Amino acid sequence: MTDPACMHVKSEAMDIKVLHKSSTFSSFTSGSHKIGNWFATLSERRRKSSMKASKSLTLGVVHENPRFGSDGESEEASGASDEVTSPVKLRPKNRRLSEQDINKRLSLPADLHLPESFIAKQNVSPTIDGPLSRATRRQSLSEIGFGRMETYTKLGKLGQGTYATVFKGKSRLTDNLVALKEIRLEHEEGAPCTAIREVSLLKELRHANIVTLHDIVHTEKSLTLVFEYLEKDLKQYMDDCGNILSLNNVKLFLFQLLRGLAYCHRRRILHRDLKPQNLLINERGELKLADFGLARAKSVPTKTYSNEVVTLWYRPPDVLLGSTEYSTQIDMWGVGCIFYEMACGRPLFPGSTVEEELRLIFRALGSPPADAWGGMAASYDIPHYQPAPLLSWAPRLDADAVDLLTKFLCYEAKKRVSAADAMKHTYFRSLGPAVHKLPDVVSIFTVPGIQLNKDPGYRASGFPKSGVSGRSRRQSMLL
Amino acid sequence: MATFRILEDQENTNAHLRRQQKEAQVNVQQQKRSVLGILSNNVSRPAGLKQTKSDLNLCAKNKNEVEVKSSFSIFVDEESPKQEKKEVKKADASNTVFSLPEAIDRLPLQVELLCNDTPLHSPMAVDKSSDLKKPIKDSENKTWNKFMGFSEYFEDIYKYLRHAEKRSRAKANYMRQQPDVTASMRSILVDWLVEVGEEYKLQTETLYLAVSYIDRFLSYMSVLRAKLQLVGTAAMFIAAKYEEVFPPDVNEFAYITDDTYTKKTVLRMEQMILKVLSFDLSAPTVLSFLNIYSEGPLKSGFEETMSDHDKETIMYLAMFFSELSLVDGDPYLQFLPSVRAAAAIALARHTLEWRPVWTPALVKASGYQLSELLSCIKCLQATFEGAVNHPQQAVREKYKSNRWHNVSLHTPHSEPIC
């Protein structure tokens, strides 16, 4: 199945071939004359476009965490490559290529182990010298092991949903842990909408506070998304510390949530399913937005949320009442709910039906004005509630925090504070100015003085191995 | 790798043999019943294909049949099942793309479906009458008002989209390298997709996305004409799944090709397209830029004094021009979507005699000076002038309706834009 020669034959059967140079497919397995031809055709015609293409083809471009040092590995492997003797001399300057050269060439992270056979081929074939075309790069990535299930070892199941299963796994390329979200394609509609949106949108997003999609393995039976692995989600984190978080940590988590969200919103992407289960947290305290299955780019009508799929607790009242007028503010209500939940240790509006959810909201925040949401609320029989002061039910929050919370939980969507503005709120002043000046992909924990505190309710057994609650976690990734 | 695995067990003939068969197919064109036939025929569509609502269940098929002028009136109730069966067989026999056993296997099902309860079993029938569809249609009219909520991030978003539009582009001249399909076949395909979009009441954005997937796919893969419609169908299916709130299911996409392709084949092609495009499906389209220019927080496309009706007319006319440009891949693939959108608005304002054609507000919102748009505007103007006599008429038909303020009935302005 992965033999390039077979691939060529099979693609012909579908009457579809790679344009221009069908020999690409056989260049690694067939005689040397073909490689020469292929290279000649390749270099001129595609010089310009291919460079562009190689940049845009980010499928395999991995942002593996550089913490896992890699220099030793590279040296080791490049030593191995010196042993290779090329059977065919194609080009006069037949220099040996180290693993580092190849990684750099293919825009791959430095900590990748390249298979020896691949390095050997790179020293024979001209891939590395000529301009890199989209197809060539794809071919190379595939030979390294991207896009192939064999590259990932399954270690155990993290959770199961209706048509996806999430496994903990390990990449043989980097030895890093990964989360494998396996979507079965047997339900006869091909790739599900959620997967199509999640993959295409996540590929646009490279940010320290958004989960990284490393790879996609697409076969006829399943579609597996390979994510970076994070130890737990916020729900589990809160459970593990008895729902009493350090207020410093609450601030750091909220700031990171806003930072990731502002990045999405600047790219006209709405998450639309924020909840603690979709916020992943690693040992360092880095929080990352995950599960973009309900996310949408820009301005299309909302998909009506189904109660069975998404919890109601984080849904804004205007959406509960059926509004399809939505924008980035749709995400901000949920941020407020999560903020409260982190600080107070319990969900803010844990309704089980739309009606109950609305009642809980109105009871806490007061009845909406009669003309709210274009009179949409009028069709509901809303008892009159006096607004209860937020402070009275959020005793751990100081005045700044309550002020910010009030700005998230604003009935009128247009008046809800945006993620970008919320980051500038006085509540976050104690973090200092440096956290606002970081490049997108840099974590806030690189700023001196920013660190996670020990949570008051933290139980020693909690962190990396979370045996008990492990089964229910990550349910949210399973939509 | 897996992409290409999807191709196995398709057929065991080699490419050369199939080419011969395909030539043979051209000779038996008459008997063919799908757009496959049209693609090689390049028959122009009869004008005025307007369907009444009750016809809508069938019109996807009927339209195809009109073109192919085969006796495929099998959807008409009077026809006897026996006769239909014979015809279906004949058609399948001429369709050498798939192995014969598969075609025969499908026969009974197909006949039953066609003669007995097309309106009932047709997924389209359900969709047409469904109440679920209604709110979406309403909201679509307002879709471009919704950008307002993003006003806070508007500049960032615009900057980002201008960057993103350069990322995944089709090659402007890919058609030259296609050995079998031609620009006119592409036009027929896109024209057909316009009709599909109309029949299923799909978002216009879905159409734009599908066409961009097709062009990008064809930039990398050579496709035989017999498979071009399959590429188009699968691209539309993917675009619908990306964009629509309630995407039609795969059966409907197999159905609209008059069952030329099976559901399984459509799904295989979907997988192949996703692989070739490496899931880069969210590229901004001409329509997304049209929305930004006309309804962004700056409302830059319009003067304050304009009535809502005038504003809509400009927008719809610009949409009409853009969709015309979608049908003709050449010369428009060389222009960025933002340039095409800006040029369409300028030409719409010119056609409706709003002066100046390109206001300072538009310069500010788009970052383009009129001079940068001129070459694209000239192309659009030529396309507009030629639209009446274009062999493909679906876009003109679409924009003749009241819903779009009958904008396609406007005549080109006699004077050049400047």
Side-chain angles (χ1 to χ4, degrees):
Chain A
M1 148 187 174
T2 49
D3 180 356
C6 292
M7 193 166 72
H8 186 199
V9 173
K10 285 164 194 160
S11 60
E12 269 192 9
M14 194 103 172
D15 303 338
I16 286 159
K17 287 174 242 171
V18 169
L19 269 181
H20 318 309
K21 43 171 186 58
S22 50
S23 56
T24 305
F25 286 136
S26 48
S27 62
F28 292 101
T29 46
S30 60
S32 56
H33 58 286
K34 272 202 163 177
I35 303 177
N37 294 342
W38 164 76
F39 181 58
T41 10
L42 176 74
S43 50
E44 275 323 299
R45 190 158 42 191
R46 296 173 60 110
R47 187 174 296 273
K48 214 173 154 193
S49 56
S50 63
M51 295 318 283
K52 209 178 289 166
S54 67
K55 246 183 253 165
S56 67
L57 183 85
T58 52
L59 187 61
V61 180
V62 187
H63 290 193
E64 296 283 8
N65 197 326
R67 276 184 300 152
F68 302 90
S70 59
D71 296 341
E73 290 156 1
S74 306
E75 277 160 26
E76 187 193 339
S78 58
S81 75
D82 283 335
E83 300 303 312
V84 176
T85 45
S86 157
V88 191
K89 302 263 182 203
L90 275 169
R91 299 179 57 80
K93 39 160 192 169
N94 191 12
R95 62 190 167 97
R96 299 266 191 269
L97 293 158
S98 73
E99 190 173 38
Q100 273 170 323
D101 289 337
I102 298 168
N103 280 344
K104 198 174 163 195
R105 168 70 178 156
L106 295 169
S107 324
L108 295 170
D111 60 346
L112 211 64
H113 310 300
L114 295 177
E116 279 180 29
S117 59
F118 180 76
I119 296 168
K121 274 174 192 163
Q122 288 300 315
N123 275 299
V124 178
S125 83
T127 313
I128 218 79
D129 289 323
L132 194 60
S133 79
R134 191 184 173 99
T136 319
R137 184 166 192 276
R138 191 198 311 281
Q139 174 75 20
S140 304
L141 290 174
S142 170
E143 295 219 336
I144 292 168
F146 283 106
R148 300 207 314 229
M149 211 53 233
E150 307 92 87
T151 305
Y152 305 97
T153 320
K154 279 183 193 168
L155 297 177
K157 197 189 272 188
L158 294 171
Q160 184 152 19
T162 38
Y163 58 96
T165 313
V166 179
F167 297 94
K168 184 176 179 175
K170 193 172 190 178
S171 164
R172 291 183 192 171
L173 291 172
T174 61
D175 287 339
N176 287 352
L177 290 174
V178 291
L180 301 165
K181 182 172 177 176
E182 191 177 276
I183 297 155
R184 290 177 290 285
L185 300 179
E186 287 143 26
H187 61 291
E188 313 227 306
E189 283 298 319
C193 300
T194 49
I196 283 182
R197 289 179 195 152
E198 176 158 33
V199 176
S200 59
L201 297 180
L202 266 178
K203 284 195 71 188
E204 286 189 47
L205 304 173
R206 296 283 174 205
H207 191 274
N209 298 116
I210 294 168
V211 69
T212 306
L213 176 65
H214 286 323
D215 195 7
I216 303 161
V217 183
H218 197 173
T219 69
E220 240 173 294
K221 292 212 171 88
S222 71
L223 177 63
T224 304
L225 313 185
V226 183
F227 292 99
E228 66 178 313
Y229 181 81
L230 285 93
E231 284 76 15
K232 47 179 91 173
D233 60 48
L234 178 59
K235 173 86 173 66
Q236 195 190 5
Y237 185 97
M238 292 191 291
D239 287 348
D240 286 352
C241 57
N243 292 317
I244 308 170
L245 270 65
S246 145
L247 285 176
N248 169 67
N249 296 356
V250 171
K251 188 175 290 187
L252 292 178
F253 289 153
L254 182 64
F255 187 82
Q256 295 182 84
L257 166 57
L258 291 168
R259 196 172 164 234
L261 205 53
Y263 176 87
C264 293
H265 290 173
R266 286 200 182 96
R267 275 153 187 74
R268 53 81 172 92
I269 290 171
L270 311 178
H271 187 283
R272 305 201 314 171
D273 193 18
L274 289 179
K275 53 184 173 182
Q277 293 90 330
N278 285 342
L279 305 175
L280 305 182
I281 294 174
N282 66 16
E283 246 166 67
R284 203 181 180 191
E286 287 167 341
L287 177 145
K288 305 196 181 204
L289 274 67
D291 202 337
F292 282 70
L294 277 179
R296 295 300 298 259
K298 68 170 187 349
S299 49
V300 286
T302 12
K303 186 165 198 155
T304 336
Y305 291 131
S306 155
N307 294 3
E308 302 108 64
V309 182
V310 189
T311 172
L312 293 163
W313 302 354
Y314 308 94
R315 214 182 287 178
D318 42 328
V319 176
L320 286 167
L321 288 166
S323 167
T324 54
E325 292 287 331
Y326 71 94
S327 72
T328 53
Q329 276 82 15
I330 196 179
D331 288 329
M332 300 317 296
W333 179 273
V335 172
C337 299
I338 292 166
F339 182 21
Y340 178 89
E341 193 168 338
M342 286 193 293
C344 302
R346 57 183 170 88
L348 178 53
F349 303 124
S352 52
T353 61
V354 171
E355 288 74 17
E356 191 192 354
E357 183 69 24
L358 284 167
R359 206 172 57 239
L360 288 172
I361 292 171
F362 297 147
R363 204 173 62 194
L365 303 176
S367 306
D371 60 342
W373 311 300
M376 251 190 304
S379 56
Y380 278 81
D381 187 20
I382 304 167
H384 189 75
Y385 291 114
Q386 290 296 330
L390 275 181
L391 268 178
S392 70
W393 34 271
R396 295 183 78 208
L397 294 177
D398 62 23
D400 280 341
V402 170
D403 182 64
L404 180 56
L405 181 58
T406 318
K407 289 188 158 84
F408 290 132
L409 300 176
C410 184
Y411 280 148
E412 204 179 329
K414 274 178 199 157
K415 289 187 183 157
R416 249 169 250 157
V417 67
S418 70
D421 284 346
M423 288 167 71
K424 296 176 202 145
H425 194 273
T426 46
Y427 173 65
F428 294 114
R429 192 177 284 161
S430 60
L431 298 180
V435 291
H436 296 281
K437 292 167 189 158
L438 297 169
D440 289 338
V441 292
V442 175
S443 155
I444 63 164
F445 291 99
T446 59
V447 174
I450 301 279
Q451 56 181 25
L452 218 55
N453 286 2
K454 190 170 184 290
D455 292 297
Y458 173 72
R459 290 190 297 271
S461 62
F463 226 103
K465 46 186 183 297
S466 45
V468 188
S469 46
R471 282 198 71 79
S472 62
R473 56 184 296 237
R474 299 282 167 82
Q475 285 299 338
S476 53
M477 292 180 77
L478 307 173
L479 277 177
Chain B
M1 300 289 117
T3 313
F4 301 96
R5 210 163 75 87
I6 62 178
L7 305 166
E8 66 196 342
D9 79 46
Q10 275 293 302
E11 210 182 358
N12 29 24
T13 55
N14 65 30
H16 176 65
L17 194 58
R18 262 197 323 282
R19 201 169 274 264
Q20 286 179 333
Q21 286 170 333
K22 197 193 66 237
E23 277 153 19
Q25 276 177 44
V26 176
N27 298 332
V28 291
Q29 209 62 257
Q30 291 339 37
Q31 281 138 33
K32 295 185 33 173
R33 63 199 175 103
S34 68
V35 180
L36 195 99
I38 309 166
L39 285 174
S40 22
N41 258 351
N42 199 8
V43 182
S44 71
R45 259 147 225 270
L49 263 175
K50 260 193 172 167
Q51 309 285 330
T52 63
K53 190 134 192 171
S54 60
D55 288 339
L56 279 177
N57 307 326
L58 301 175
C59 62
K61 293 195 167 195
N62 284 345
K63 275 182 194 169
N64 298 342
E65 282 145 24
V66 171
E67 260 82 345
V68 200
K69 59 181 171 166
S70 67
S71 47
F72 273 87
S73 35
I74 40 175
F75 305 103
V76 181
D77 290 333
E78 300 89 83
E79 288 266 339
S80 83
K82 212 174 181 183
Q83 206 179 339
E84 287 154 31
K85 190 160 188 169
K86 218 162 79 191
E87 278 163 0
V88 171
K89 234 176 200 158
K90 199 160 71 182
D92 274 331
S94 72
N95 184 353
T96 52
V97 174
F98 294 103
S99 54
L100 206 55
E102 195 189 351
I104 286 168
D105 283 345
R106 280 187 325 153
L107 264 182
L109 175 74
Q110 195 175 28
V111 170
E112 191 193 340
L113 180 81
L114 298 184
C115 57
N116 291 335
D117 9 44
T118 306
L120 259 181
H121 276 182
S122 156
M124 271 170 114
V126 178
D127 270 13
K128 287 293 142 174
S129 54
S130 160
D131 284 343
L132 277 178
K133 285 272 162 183
K134 237 184 164 179
I136 300 157
K137 195 186 161 194
D138 291 344
S139 63
E140 194 200 358
N141 288 330
K142 287 189 284 174
T143 294
W144 34 282
N145 287 322
K146 298 220 176 102
F147 225 97
M148 294 177 63
F150 287 85
S151 54
E152 160 141 32
Y153 297 105
F154 180 75
E155 280 179 28
D156 285 328
I157 291 174
Y158 184 62
K159 216 192 287 172
Y160 175 71
L161 292 179
R162 286 288 299 275
H163 163 76
E165 69 173 335
K166 292 174 189 129
R167 230 177 20 199
S168 345
R169 292 184 70 192
K171 297 177 187 167
N173 296 316
Y174 74 76
M175 205 49 100
R176 279 192 217 150
Q177 270 130 20
Q178 285 288 345
D180 198 40
V181 298
T182 64
S184 69
M185 290 175 200
R186 182 197 170 283
S187 294
I188 295 163
L189 177 70
V190 176
D191 189 71
W192 174 71
L193 290 176
V194 172
E195 291 184 347
V196 170
E198 281 299 276
E199 312 224 348
Y200 281 79
K201 296 279 176 279
L202 299 181
Q203 305 280 332
T204 308
E205 177 72 2
T206 303
L207 172 72
Y208 280 86
L209 287 172
V211 174
S212 91
Y213 301 161
I214 293 166
D215 286 328
R216 281 164 57 205
F217 185 82
L218 294 181
S219 298
Y220 294 107
M221 307 301 276
S222 97
V223 175
L224 291 186
R225 62 184 66 184
K227 283 295 193 301
L228 184 60
Q229 192 189 7
L230 176 61
V231 172
T233 305
M236 196 76 167
F237 182 45
I238 296 169
K241 286 203 271 189
Y242 177 82
E243 187 66 21
E244 297 292 328
V245 178
F246 301 105
D249 68 33
V250 64
N251 287 316
E252 297 171 65
F253 283 95
Y255 175 88
I256 52 170
T257 66
D258 208 14
D259 292 322
T260 304
Y261 312 109
T262 61
K263 185 178 133 181
K264 206 174 163 192
T265 323
V266 174
L267 291 180
R268 282 178 177 174
M269 183 51 83
E270 170 192 274
Q271 190 183 353
M272 187 161 189
I273 294 176
L274 290 174
K275 193 85 163 197
V276 170
L277 303 187
S278 56
F279 277 88
D280 288 328
L281 306 173
S282 55
T285 63
V286 180
L287 187 63
S288 38
F289 285 106
L290 277 178
N291 291 334
I292 291 178
Y293 296 151
S294 55
E295 277 296 319
L298 298 174
K299 300 256 178 209
S300 47
F302 314 124
E303 281 81 336
E304 277 174 23
T305 51
M306 278 183 184
S307 68
D308 283 349
H309 186 273
D310 287 342
K311 289 176 186 171
E312 279 176 9
T313 309
I314 293 180
M315 178 65 178
Y316 294 156
L317 193 56
M319 284 170 72
F320 169 57
F321 295 150
S322 300
E323 252 169 272
L324 286 177
S325 76
L326 221 47
V327 175
D328 293 338
D330 194 44
Y332 297 101
L333 287 174
Q334 61 177 299
F335 299 112
L336 285 170
S338 58
V339 171
R340 288 165 66 178
I345 289 183
L347 185 58
R349 290 177 56 94
H350 177 67
T351 307
L352 299 167
E353 303 201 329
W354 287 96
R355 299 289 181 271
V357 163
W358 201 239
T359 61
L362 278 162
V363 174
K364 188 165 177 253
S366 69
Y368 289 118
Q369 299 291 336
L370 185 60
S371 57
E372 297 171 85
L373 306 174
L374 280 181
S375 58
C376 187
I377 293 173
K378 277 175 190 151
C379 293
L380 281 177
Q381 203 157 17
T383 301
F384 182 28
E385 279 158 12
V388 188
N389 299 316
H390 199 286
Q392 275 69 52
Q393 289 290 323
V395 176
R396 276 192 79 237
E397 288 302 317
K398 173 178 172 181
Y399 283 93
K400 268 180 192 169
S401 78
N402 279 333
R403 185 182 162 207
W404 304 110
H405 295 191
N406 327 95
V407 286
S408 61
L409 300 175
H410 281 280
T411 48
H413 202 282
S414 51
E415 288 165 27
I417 199 155
C418 65

